[in-house]
Amino acid sequence: MNITTNQIRTMFLSFFKKKDHKIIPSSSLIPNNDPSLLFTNAGMNQFKEIFLGNNKPKFSKVVTIQKCLRTGGKYNDLDNIGYSDNHHTFFEMLGNFSFGDYFKKEAISYAWELLTSIQWFNLNKNRLWVTVYYKDQETYQIWINIIGLNPERVIYVGNKKNSNSLSDNFWSMGENGPCGPSTEIFYDPTENFLQHSGEYFKNNQDTQIEIWNIVFMEYNRTLDGELIPLPNKSVDTGMGLERISRILQNKKSNYEIDIFDQLIKSIFQFNKNIYSNKKKSIYIIADHIRSSAFLIAENIFPSNEGRGYVLRRIIRRALRHAHTSGMNKLFFFKLIPTLIEVMGEESNLIKNNIKKVQEVLKQEEIQFNYTIHRGIKLLEDQIKKLKGNILHGKIIFKLYDTFGFPVDLTADFCKEQNLQIDSIGFMKEMNKQKKQTKIANQFAKQYDPVLTIKNHSIFKGYNTYETTSIIKQIFINGKTTNQLNCGESGIIILDNTPFYPESGGQIGDIGEINNKQNIFKVENTKKYGIGIIHFGKILSGKLSVNQEIQAKINIKYRKNIQNNHSATHLLHSALRNIFGNNTIQKGSLITNLSLRFDFSCNEKITNEKIHKIEYIVNEYIIQNSIINTTIDTFNNAQKTGAIALFNEKYNDIVRIVSINDYSIELCGGTHTNQTGSIGFFKIINEKSIGSGIKRIEAVTGNKAILFIHNKETKLNHIMNILNTNEDNISKKIHVLTNTIHKLKNNIDIFIKRELIEITKQLLKKVIHINNINLLIENINISNSNLLRNVIDIIQKKLHSAIIIITTIIEKKIYFIIKISKNLTNDIQANYIAKKIINNIGGKGGGKSHLSEGGGGTKVELLSITLNNIQSWIKKKFELL
Ligand code: SER
């Protein structure tokens, strides 16, 4: 069958369309508001709340092609890539779903028909095997009695933990959430498939390709592991697109299908000198360019935490393999046009953001190359210092942890130099770090318990600051409870709320939830699944579930946040105006006090530019434009050129915030009504926070005025000290620095003269014992630091010398001792220093040829101390 991956997508959708399924677009790779999940890992994620019975479905039968990423959490295939022919970080999952509509019989029949019918995929039935959950006799009977499979081809499997089965046929999305027994269809790609028995299948599952997983969603697994039946029995199926393509295109690996074939050709086109035998590395690069590009298109940027960290790991893993395969030039970002071409419409998001995707990848590649070169240099330095032929674990760990240098590159490098690496030592360091991270995580867990939210909270706070609402749930320390008493801290969930939950960079609201004298102080508000959670403490009385309350936000706090949020949109617009439309938002933090905006920018931001930005934003404020918010479909919004940011993705309905025609953004945040209420905008800080990323911090309204006042006060203070006014201050400072400079020159001349005079006098006092020059003197000098200059000059004139010079400044004794190196076997400066300190006090020390000290206060004992030392030295050397 000569069929392209694109055609397979279309066939899958049309098959289920014919069976009355509604085609639903893929949801974002970033789960919408589900803290239990880092990335979308299955087709069913976007329907989680429907399975749980919290949301009503618009259609009871749907079909999707879902973009998935399995690089973290319960499903993580990252380390398999390159070694397995069937796994990917990024992949597309074909799936049909029933929400309380059809169940086992239909789900199985549909799958069988699509796979084996001559009009559809027409697979040889003798190549197909089926597994069934060991307790699910109903499904077993359907395969045998309705589909008509030979019982030998239907295999019961138990839990992975208790059997040697590769798959456990009980699927759950994560540690908790919707789950149920499943039945899986496998394909036997081997030549001898006709001779294979059920026994062979059981013992050789690694030769078989799992193509379709049909899950019967029946339960919700709670945090305690309890299985609670779901309100409706539903179906969730998933078939990996790349796997079915591989089978239908008759290839030996997923990486040989049309999509990867093109990508791999492209990798070769940009790298003419790839070492042979690097197939695995090429597969890794081809896989990772897909996941990286889709993530960046979804506004995930490489960083050191969360999703950004996973992205950075993926990119760096690809680049590391490129490096060890002999690819030395920048090329990763150049694969994007091919990726867009092979993925067709599925890559529209990348196509629409191509500049951003390429720029981010390029920056990461440049930075990585730098890391590699720096790492190699550091490694070479360490190897030079090496005693023996084993590179210590601590060094390998430091290179890895502090400088991001990959361990396998260290290993490769050492191998080339015939050195061994101390892998046990490295693991020890690694475990130490893991322990620390674990402790940190455990700590975080206490404050971030997993909550089971039963009700939707409706946000009313766009139009009102106060609502009459009902308390739906209360949590204390993550555990549900019916009542919060005076003094207790906890979480309250309402049916509707005016409190804005932290999101899109805007912090959560604060305020009060009360029922007459029973008052809960809201200290923060966040989104959590389908709920909005209010954190806080009961100040008086008590509150219970089902009670009617008044929810009031702190209006002043919110208004400040609103002004800062609208100012952020104006700033974004001004930046695009100055630095071009490719200026990409990389993050923001909008609080009641200030706003912070991170964006891509490779230019230096001069003072002049800062003033220009401020001027433009303030000009917008002066115009006092009305800020409009409208609701529309995502597609329509995109047509208006609205800038999409972090949260609004493929959701049907989005909120558009526009300020005349100079700023149109998709934004769920709260805004002021007219730009005039922002009052005044002032940038207070600008810095670089990574290669090509700048951060601007700014304040608005009264905070901006206070900032200016503060500066003015400082300036006034300086003017008072200098006794001048604003017009003359620069001139005055200039004159002062000139005077200081001149005075310093004069002082230097005086000091030089003083030194010449002192040393001249001192040299007269040298005594000679047995070819040794001995000078012990207390001198008058203006600054103790000059002792060093004096002793340096004298030492140059005297060979074989013992020189001890002291001075008293403000009743404290300072001393310096120099001994020519040829004498240090017989007498040591640090020994003499100790003797002096023992007698006159103070501190000091040094080496055998040079010691110094100071702070001693027994001035009256100085002369006798020096005399004693002189006699001791004389005796010592006269006897020699
Ligand atoms: N959710 C199941 C899986 O991911 C079936 O779609 O395998």
Side-chain angles (χ1 to χ4, degrees):
M1 199 180 199
N2 200 359
I3 184 169
T4 63
T5 303
N6 220 357
Q7 285 165 334
I8 296 171
R9 284 194 194 99
T10 315
M11 274 175 93
F12 182 78
L13 293 178
S14 34
F15 175 84
F16 281 101
K17 200 172 165 204
K18 282 208 165 98
K19 308 282 182 204
D20 295 328
H21 285 61
K22 173 78 184 167
I23 300 175
I24 304 278
S26 167
S27 68
S28 159
L29 272 180
I30 314 307
N32 191 8
N33 216 3
D34 184 346
S36 73
L37 212 56
L38 201 58
F39 298 111
T40 297
N41 65 9
M44 54 73 63
N45 293 167
Q46 65 168 315
F47 308 118
K48 178 179 172 187
E49 299 300 335
I50 298 181
F51 285 122
L52 291 174
N54 294 328
N55 276 354
K56 268 217 157 78
K58 278 197 212 140
F59 311 94
S60 64
K61 294 184 273 194
V62 303
V63 56
T64 64
I65 300 179
Q66 177 64 50
K67 296 184 176 66
C68 297
L69 204 71
R70 290 195 171 176
T71 55
K74 190 165 193 284
Y75 297 96
N76 187 352
D77 290 330
L78 184 60
D79 294 330
N80 268 331
I81 314 303
Y83 302 88
S84 151
D85 287 323
N86 305 322
H87 286 89
H88 304 277
T89 49
F90 170 88
F91 67 100
E92 289 170 83
M93 192 183 267
L94 310 171
N96 56 297
F97 303 87
S98 150
F99 308 126
D101 192 296
Y102 60 81
F103 202 44
K104 295 187 178 176
K105 189 169 65 130
E106 296 83 346
I108 291 172
S109 306
Y110 290 153
W112 195 252
E113 184 186 343
L114 178 65
L115 290 181
T116 60
S117 151
I118 192 154
Q119 299 105 291
W120 299 101
F121 292 164
N122 194 22
L123 296 184
N124 185 338
K125 290 179 188 161
N126 292 322
R127 285 192 184 267
L128 299 179
W129 294 87
V130 166
T131 59
V132 171
Y133 188 53
Y134 71 117
K135 291 182 183 167
D136 188 2
Q137 287 176 12
E138 187 190 349
T139 299
Y140 185 85
Q141 292 305 335
I142 293 171
W143 280 114
I144 290 168
N145 296 330
I146 299 179
I147 307 296
L149 287 195
N150 177 343
E152 195 182 20
R153 303 198 82 83
V154 185
I155 288 140
Y156 272 127
V157 297
N159 290 332
K160 231 193 269 187
K161 267 192 228 145
N162 308 327
S163 68
N164 59 1
S165 169
L166 282 182
S167 107
D168 61 7
N169 284 54
F170 193 97
W171 198 88
S172 41
M173 179 182 137
E175 299 314 328
N176 60 320
C179 58
S182 73
T183 178
E184 288 176 337
I185 305 172
F186 285 76
Y187 181 85
D188 185 343
T190 61
E191 273 178 21
N192 302 335
F193 67 95
L194 282 175
Q195 288 145 31
H196 291 158
S197 62
E199 221 28 56
Y200 174 89
F201 175 83
K202 275 189 221 162
N203 295 328
N204 295 281
Q205 280 187 35
D206 52 343
T207 63
Q208 310 291 310
I209 308 168
E210 178 202 322
I211 43 178
W212 206 334
N213 188 13
I214 302 164
V215 184
F216 307 116
M217 286 295 185
E218 291 185 69
Y219 305 105
N220 179 14
R221 196 200 304 267
T222 65
L223 274 182
D224 313 327
E226 202 187 333
L227 294 178
I228 299 173
L230 289 173
N232 294 310
K233 289 190 172 181
S234 296
V235 172
D236 150 34
T237 88
M239 171 157 63
L241 173 67
E242 296 75 4
R243 287 189 191 176
I244 190 71
S245 285
R246 163 200 174 166
I247 291 166
L248 295 175
Q249 293 177 9
N250 201 12
K251 300 289 183 196
K252 288 207 163 52
S253 156
N254 288 11
Y255 290 91
E256 289 173 15
I257 66 173
D258 47 359
I259 291 179
F260 285 105
D261 188 47
Q262 293 287 329
L263 269 177
I264 288 169
K265 277 194 187 123
S266 219
I267 296 172
F268 277 98
Q269 186 198 328
F270 293 117
N271 299 286
K272 301 276 184 265
N273 300 323
I274 299 179
Y275 306 144
S276 49
N277 296 333
K278 285 293 177 187
K279 200 161 107 182
K280 272 184 208 157
S281 295
I282 308 273
Y283 285 176
I284 287 171
I285 296 165
D287 174 276
H288 290 7
I289 187 67
R290 294 210 308 163
S291 35
S292 319
F294 275 102
L295 280 176
I296 300 167
E298 297 252 21
N299 281 321
I300 303 296
F301 301 103
S303 74
N304 291 333
E305 54 187 25
R307 298 187 173 109
Y309 175 67
V310 177
L311 170 63
R312 175 161 280 164
R313 262 192 77 194
I314 296 174
I315 299 176
R316 291 199 163 181
R317 190 162 182 264
L319 296 177
R320 180 158 57 76
H321 280 272
H323 182 82
T324 49
S325 307
M327 309 182 203
N328 300 322
K329 289 192 214 120
L330 296 184
F331 80 100
F332 202 48
F333 74 99
K334 294 185 189 160
L335 301 176
I336 298 297
T338 314
L339 178 66
I340 293 173
E341 200 184 312
V342 295
M343 294 291 292
E345 273 185 23
E346 302 304 313
S347 59
N348 277 354
L349 196 63
I350 302 180
K351 199 170 161 186
N352 294 340
N353 291 287
I354 183 162
K355 281 218 169 92
K356 170 174 77 178
V357 175
Q358 288 201 303
E359 190 53 35
V360 172
L361 286 175
K362 192 172 160 190
Q363 287 307 329
E364 199 63 11
E365 202 170 351
I366 291 172
Q367 205 177 328
F368 184 76
N369 282 353
Y370 167 72
T371 305
I372 295 286
H373 288 129
R374 181 180 55 177
I376 289 175
K377 168 111 200 13
L378 289 166
L379 197 53
E380 280 170 347
D381 290 349
Q382 290 297 338
I383 289 173
K384 262 187 221 149
K385 285 190 219 154
L386 204 65
K387 293 183 184 123
N389 68 341
I390 301 179
L391 189 67
H392 206 290
K394 270 197 176 149
I395 297 172
I396 308 168
F397 183 74
K398 190 169 177 197
L399 276 164
Y400 160 77
D401 191 47
T402 314
F403 300 103
F405 193 70
V407 182
D408 43 1
L409 284 191
T410 306
D412 282 350
F413 199 83
C414 287
K415 212 165 154 194
E416 276 167 26
Q417 318 255 333
N418 282 331
L419 295 171
Q420 287 175 19
I421 62 168
D422 162 25
S423 39
I424 296 177
F426 171 74
M427 283 318 290
K428 263 193 202 155
E429 295 297 317
M430 197 73 175
N431 285 339
K432 240 195 254 167
Q433 196 208 38
K434 268 194 197 143
K435 249 188 223 156
Q436 276 157 1
T437 319
K438 209 166 156 194
I439 293 168
N441 284 344
Q442 275 165 358
F443 183 74
K445 224 174 175 175
Q446 280 189 29
Y447 292 88
D448 187 17
V450 182
L451 311 173
T452 312
I453 311 273
K454 295 200 186 116
N455 296 87
H456 266 285
S457 315
I458 300 168
F459 176 63
K460 300 265 183 176
Y462 288 131
N463 311 316
T464 179
Y465 295 140
E466 181 171 349
T467 60
T468 305
S469 311
I470 305 286
I471 298 183
K472 296 304 246 182
Q473 279 180 285
I474 298 179
F475 293 94
I476 297 181
N477 288 333
K479 296 237 163 7
T480 169
T481 178
N482 277 329
Q483 189 169 301
L484 260 182
N485 295 316
C486 188
E488 278 179 336
S489 294
I491 287 171
I492 289 186
I493 299 181
L494 304 173
D495 55 348
N496 54 58
T497 175
F499 284 82
Y500 181 82
E502 176 188 309
S503 57
Q506 179 176 332
I507 59 167
D509 275 327
I510 59 169
E512 203 176 283
I513 290 175
N514 70 37
N515 175 308
K516 295 183 193 121
Q517 304 315 321
N518 305 296
I519 301 171
F520 177 81
K521 184 175 166 217
V522 179
E523 287 156 357
N524 200 357
T525 314
K526 291 186 186 225
K527 274 190 193 168
Y528 198 100
I530 56 171
I532 293 176
I533 58 182
H534 309 86
F535 292 86
K537 192 174 181 178
I538 297 271
L539 296 186
S540 64
K542 58 188 179 204
L543 289 173
S544 355
V545 172
N546 292 332
Q547 206 170 8
E548 189 178 272
I549 51 85
Q550 290 303 115
K552 294 184 211 160
I553 63 167
N554 178 325
I555 299 175
K556 193 169 170 221
Y557 188 84
R558 161 72 86 77
K559 282 195 170 168
N560 285 336
I561 296 174
Q562 292 187 164
N563 284 334
N564 284 338
H565 202 151
S566 301
T568 307
H569 284 211
L570 295 178
L571 169 64
H572 192 180
S573 170
L575 290 171
R576 286 164 70 92
N577 192 321
I578 294 173
F579 299 109
N581 282 347
N582 289 328
T583 309
I584 304 156
Q585 172 165 355
K586 296 256 173 165
S588 66
L589 177 66
I590 297 149
T591 75
N592 57 321
L593 302 175
S594 64
L595 62 101
R596 199 175 81 190
F597 191 76
D598 300 341
F599 58 103
S600 61
C601 177
N602 286 318
E603 283 179 46
K604 185 175 159 30
I605 305 189
T606 55
N607 256 347
E608 228 182 333
K609 290 248 163 75
I610 293 274
H611 288 164
K612 203 165 162 194
I613 298 166
E614 287 178 341
Y615 188 85
I616 295 175
V617 173
N618 283 306
E619 190 62 29
Y620 289 151
I621 294 171
I622 292 162
Q623 284 175 24
N624 197 17
S625 306
I626 289 177
I627 300 181
N628 265 316
T629 51
T630 47
I631 304 287
D632 206 339
T633 62
F634 181 70
N635 283 344
N636 282 346
Q638 270 203 322
K639 278 182 212 145
T640 65
I643 309 168
L645 295 176
F646 296 97
N647 282 326
E648 294 72 21
K649 298 271 153 45
Y650 308 103
N651 299 356
D652 282 342
I653 301 299
V654 290
R655 190 161 171 272
I656 307 156
V657 176
S658 44
I659 310 174
N660 276 346
D661 52 0
Y662 43 78
S663 163
I664 311 176
E665 295 195 21
L666 299 193
C667 172
T670 61
H671 286 267
T672 180
N673 297 330
Q674 284 186 258
T675 54
S677 68
I678 299 168
F680 175 36
F681 170 89
K682 179 85 193 86
I683 292 176
I684 57 170
N685 199 1
E686 180 279 319
K687 62 179 174 195
S688 174
I689 55 160
S691 66
I693 306 177
K694 299 282 188 311
R695 167 170 291 175
I696 281 184
E697 285 173 76
V699 284
T700 62
N702 279 339
K703 292 273 170 328
I705 294 173
L706 275 179
F707 179 81
I708 302 283
H709 282 174
N710 216 337
K711 288 215 158 197
E712 251 177 24
T713 311
K714 279 184 197 154
L715 182 65
N716 285 339
H717 188 64
I718 296 169
M719 287 188 306
N720 273 343
I721 294 173
L722 299 182
N723 194 17
T724 182
N725 57 31
E726 218 173 313
D727 292 334
N728 290 319
I729 189 161
S730 303
K731 213 166 105 199
K732 180 103 190 205
I733 290 177
H734 198 66
V735 169
L736 276 177
T737 41
N738 267 347
T739 315
I740 290 170
H741 192 70
K742 271 186 205 146
L743 287 174
K744 210 172 154 288
N745 280 346
N746 285 346
I747 289 174
D748 284 349
I749 294 168
F750 280 121
I751 287 174
K752 254 189 207 144
R753 281 194 199 144
E754 187 187 7
L755 284 177
I756 291 169
E757 190 49 35
I758 288 173
T759 47
K760 212 163 112 192
Q761 295 308 324
L762 278 173
L763 282 169
K764 287 184 191 156
K765 305 209 166 139
V766 175
I767 54 174
H768 310 281
I769 323 155
N770 238 344
N771 289 334
I772 289 167
N773 294 306
L774 176 63
L775 173 63
I776 302 182
E777 274 299 319
N778 181 48
I779 59 172
N780 269 334
I781 205 162
S782 53
N783 180 338
S784 66
N785 289 334
L786 293 177
L787 279 179
R788 250 175 255 160
N789 304 62
V790 172
I791 212 156
D792 279 347
I793 300 171
I794 293 184
Q795 204 208 14
K796 273 186 200 131
K797 309 215 164 179
L798 298 176
H799 296 289
S800 280
I802 300 167
I803 310 163
I804 304 172
I805 301 177
T806 64
T807 187
I808 303 169
I809 295 169
E810 289 171 5
K811 296 192 184 148
K812 284 198 178 121
I813 305 162
Y814 297 86
F815 67 84
I816 187 158
I817 308 161
K818 234 175 183 178
I819 295 185
S820 307
K821 287 230 166 109
N822 60 329
L823 300 177
T824 52
N825 275 343
D826 301 317
I827 186 163
Q828 294 82 28
N830 42 1
Y831 180 76
I832 301 174
K834 235 187 244 163
K835 267 179 176 275
I836 297 178
I837 291 167
N838 280 346
N839 283 303
I840 57 150
K843 282 195 279 191
K847 299 203 168 140
S848 56
H849 68 288
L850 175 68
S851 283
E852 50 192 320
T857 49
K858 294 182 194 160
V859 175
E860 67 285 1
L861 296 180
L862 179 62
S863 130
I864 177 126
T865 305
L866 294 182
N867 279 341
N868 287 344
I869 290 174
Q870 179 158 354
S871 322
W872 172 70
I873 295 173
K874 266 186 179 166
K875 241 190 234 154
K876 192 172 170 81
F877 284 91
E878 273 163 4
L879 291 176
L880 276 179

